[in-house]
Amino acid sequence: MGLRKFSLIPFPGKEYLPGVRITGFVERRMNRLSVRYDLFGKISELALAAPQPFPARKDRLWKGTCLELFLALTDSERYWEFNFSPGGDWNVYRFESCRTGMRDETSYSSLPFHVRRETDALRLSVDLDIGLIIPADNSIAAGVAAIVKPVTGETVHWALAHPNSRPDFHRRDGFMLSFSGRSIR
């Protein structure tokens, strides 16, 4: 009941590597949110950050290949942006409304996630304690996105949907996964 599978699509009109696809799931269990990304394709043709021995909070991860999650309270303009680099670095930002009031979300001092690289896949999984920012009885909306940077060529933006004439993961109409608060078991 709390599991939502997803398949991301590249922004229309942008060239992307043939055979690349991004799927996964988001599952809510009270204050826990489990997220899994599976990026399939010619991984050797993607610009991926090298694994970091000591992953840390870093800004501007979206300048390279970055997997992203957006969470919003359904009855508020407030939302959060989670950034996961395949190298292990991360960040969480809080916004008061669309692209307004951005600041680091200090409720998280670390964001441990697991990355597995294979010949034809990159898999990232994370279990988030969203109770640090969202009470269990609050309904939420989620947007899942990715920025994929080929070794050669332009960065391609992937999302559940692209409701604008240019890539914009911050638009609420792109937060297409919903999770109720009380009914989650």
Side-chain angles (χ1 to χ4, degrees):
M1 294 174 79
L3 178 76
R4 308 288 186 275
K5 293 183 179 182
F6 65 80
S7 183
L8 303 183
I9 57 173
F11 187 74
K14 294 289 270 185
E15 286 191 36
Y16 63 99
L17 295 170
V20 170
R21 56 189 178 91
I22 304 171
T23 62
F25 68 83
V26 180
E27 181 178 24
R28 182 178 186 185
R29 286 168 275 134
M30 298 302 285
N31 288 337
R32 305 295 293 162
L33 198 71
S34 297
V35 185
R36 165 90 179 244
Y37 298 84
D38 293 307
L39 190 156
F40 300 102
K42 296 178 181 176
I43 301 305
S44 62
E45 294 182 22
L46 303 180
L48 301 175
Q52 298 300 306
F54 304 104
R57 180 186 294 261
K58 292 213 172 146
D59 287 319
R60 306 177 74 77
L61 294 173
W62 57 82
K63 293 288 188 179
T65 297
C66 179
L67 303 174
E68 299 190 356
L69 174 70
F70 291 81
L71 295 179
L73 299 167
T74 56
D75 60 352
S76 170
E77 291 186 32
R78 182 180 304 154
Y79 68 97
W80 292 264
E81 175 184 348
F82 292 77
N83 295 163
F84 309 101
S85 165
D89 292 327
W90 61 276
N91 212 334
V92 183
Y93 302 100
R94 178 180 174 169
F95 293 83
E96 293 307 316
S97 61
C98 189
R99 296 188 176 275
T100 303
M102 178 180 161
R103 65 178 186 241
D104 285 348
E105 176 54 71
T106 58
S107 298
Y108 294 96
S109 58
S110 68
L111 204 58
F113 55 93
H114 179 71
V115 177
R116 190 171 79 218
R117 296 175 193 226
E118 301 168 5
T119 304
D120 59 354
L122 175 96
R123 301 175 193 277
L124 185 145
S125 57
V126 61
D127 275 330
L128 299 170
D129 179 1
I130 62 170
L132 296 172
I133 56 174
I134 299 170
D137 60 345
N138 280 69
S139 295
I140 59 173
V144 183
I147 297 170
V148 179
K149 184 173 174 101
V151 173
T152 60
E154 289 186 46
T155 299
V156 180
H157 295 78
W158 294 69
L160 296 168
H162 296 281
N164 199 358
S165 61
R166 47 173 261 196
D168 188 353
F169 300 151
H170 292 257
R171 291 176 52 111
R172 282 302 268 272
D173 48 0
F175 294 21
M176 300 179 68
L177 305 178
S178 60
F179 299 90
S180 63
R182 291 221 180 261
S183 64
I184 308 298
R185 299 271 183 254

